[in-house]
Amino acid sequence: MRVAILGSGSLGLLWGARMQPLFGENLLLLTRTKDQAELLNREGIRFIGQGGETEQRACHAVCSDEMPEGKIDLLLVMVKQTHLSAVLPVIQKGTHPESQIIFWQNGLGHQENIARLTDRPWTYLSVTTEGALREGDNVIRGTGRGETSIGLYPPSEEKPHPLLLRWINILKEQAGCNILYDRQILHKIWGKLAVNCVINPLTALYGVKNGALLSPEYQAEWKEILHEVVLVANREGIPLSYADLDEKVKSVCKQTAGNFSSMLQDVMRGNKTEVDFINGAIVRLGRKHRIDTPVNLRLVNLIHEKEEQML
Ligand code: KPL
């Protein structure tokens, strides 16, 4: 099985380090720049565990411009939502009609992009609560082990492809990953969206780690955000309750207490954030259903202001 990871940010480096011992030469990392590919080929990925232990994992990387044609059997697409439409030609070039393509973006927005890959029927969404912090172009620190779910998208009762199940089993059995196939992936996507709607903008605005949000001063905003998310989710036919989501956000804050959320990391690096696909998705879907979402809208605007200040 030839496996590739498209994107070498924190998620790409984390899964690259994890899969390298399992797939060796059959694992390819596709980077945005030639410099990063050269660095990864020269020095490998340096993985720092939660206890501070460091391991160097050799790796085979190329710049995504040099994606080999039609050779990838299983592709993990780990670029941000903001880059997804730009990498569609790379995905198309590297895969074949039986390829398994898994999208790992936060928020909502994949749908239109996946629909454009008309002759690639085996597309999946993934939801993960794994935490990692990129400390350099080839350095990744694991900051919390979480759970990863994968499900066919568009959702279907059809069984997943045997190759996908084989890959999941390898990760479970040989790397001890908490990873599973889930037919109700949209529920998970919404659960994660709710988590991101609360944690990402608040940590980015106040410059705090995820765990800090558990303190009482953030609770009022947290509740208002979540109430809007639940209204919109229910109208979209996703039966999530406020109590369940509140519990979920709390548990992710605890599990990833030491993390800098991806939105805070983007703001600190002066990058464009995914807020339009997170709180912005709630605002857009709210408009569709004529539900007011002033709290999420305010956060979208504040994060955009923050992005501009950091440029
Ligand atoms: O997904 C995340 C992110 O930072 O984008 C969470 C779950 C909040 C972990 O940091």
Side-chain angles (χ1 to χ4, degrees), residues 106 128-131 192 195-196 199-200 210 252 256 259-263 265 274 278:
N106 272 335
T128 185
T129 52
E130 298 261 10
K192 177 86 191 292
V195 166
N196 290 133
I199 298 183
N200 292 28
N210 296 357
V252 174
T256 63
N259 271 27
F260 292 101
S261 76
S262 56
M263 199 172 284
Q265 292 184 47
E274 294 176 300
I278 297 177

Side-chain angles (χ1 to χ4, degrees), residues 10-295:
S10 41
L11 213 50
L13 290 179
L14 176 73
W15 285 79
R18 180 171 286 168
M19 291 198 295
Q20 197 283 328
L22 309 175
F23 295 95
E25 302 244 303
N26 282 327
L27 173 69
L28 178 65
L29 228 83
L30 295 141
T31 62
R32 196 145 55 92
T33 65
K34 283 201 167 54
D35 285 352
Q36 193 189 6
E38 277 168 20
L39 175 70
L40 286 164
N41 287 324
R42 207 171 50 241
E43 295 181 14
I45 303 175
R46 184 139 66 88
F47 175 76
I48 311 171
Q50 275 179 279
E53 69 287 0
T54 300
E55 274 181 58
Q56 205 76 18
R57 303 261 161 96
C59 102
H60 176 33
V62 295
C63 179
S64 56
D65 296 352
E66 292 160 27
M67 170 68 116
E69 209 165 322
K71 294 225 163 67
I72 309 299
D73 302 312
L74 190 141
L75 177 65
L76 313 189
V77 182
M78 291 180 155
V79 300
K80 300 241 172 192
Q81 283 277 11
T82 41
H83 293 132
L84 203 49
S85 53
V87 298
L88 284 185
V90 177
I91 299 175
Q92 189 81 38
K93 179 178 170 202
T95 54
H96 51 81
E98 286 291 300
S99 297
Q100 309 297 298
I101 311 175
I102 313 171
F103 291 85
W104 295 67
Q105 290 66 36
N106 272 335
L108 288 176
H110 323 62
Q111 294 87 339
E112 303 90 79
N113 285 310
I114 294 179
R116 285 158 66 196
L117 291 168
T118 44
D119 52 352
R120 298 288 183 267
W122 296 102
T123 46
Y124 304 82
L125 297 183
S126 165
V127 181
T128 185
T129 52
E130 298 261 10
L133 179 62
R134 195 177 107 160
E135 295 190 348
D137 277 354
N138 69 334
V139 186
I140 187 74
R141 180 184 290 273
T143 52
R145 291 219 71 164
E147 182 192 274
T148 300
S149 309
I150 308 222
L152 267 171
Y153 187 85
S156 152
E157 283 303 307
E158 209 178 313
K159 283 203 179 119
H161 196 285
L163 195 74
L164 180 98
L165 294 176
R166 213 171 95 213
W167 175 77
I168 290 182
N169 275 337
I170 293 175
L171 281 160
K172 250 203 241 172
E173 283 161 19
Q174 297 177 32
C177 285
N178 188 358
I179 181 167
L180 49 94
Y181 183 77
D182 188 339
R183 280 178 205 279
Q184 301 278 350
I185 198 69
L186 274 185
H187 291 195
K188 287 267 169 67
I189 290 275
W190 272 89
K192 177 86 191 292
L193 180 65
V195 166
N196 290 133
C197 278
V198 175
I199 298 183
N200 292 28
L202 295 184
T203 51
L205 282 178
Y206 300 115
V208 294
K209 288 185 178 175
N210 296 357
L213 297 184
L214 291 163
S215 93
E217 63 192 286
Y218 302 106
Q219 292 303 303
E221 242 175 322
W222 166 323
K223 286 197 163 52
E224 287 173 349
I225 300 169
L226 219 46
H227 272 300
E228 293 182 1
V229 173
V230 172
L231 284 177
V232 175
N234 290 170
R235 203 65 78 77
E236 278 283 296
I238 309 288
L240 291 170
S241 75
Y242 179 86
D244 286 348
L245 290 181
D246 189 49
E247 243 344 283
K248 193 168 174 53
V249 184
K250 276 194 194 120
S251 109
V252 174
C253 279
K254 283 184 199 149
Q255 266 172 31
T256 63
N259 271 27
F260 292 101
S261 76
S262 56
M263 199 172 284
L264 176 55
Q265 292 184 47
D266 280 338
V267 164
M268 291 190 307
R269 294 201 186 103
N271 290 342
K272 196 164 166 43
T273 71
E274 294 176 300
V275 73
D276 289 335
F277 303 96
I278 297 177
N279 306 84
I282 299 299
V283 175
R284 275 193 304 280
L285 291 171
R287 283 192 187 127
K288 179 175 117 188
H289 296 295
R290 296 178 198 281
I291 297 171
D292 278 341
T293 55
V295 181

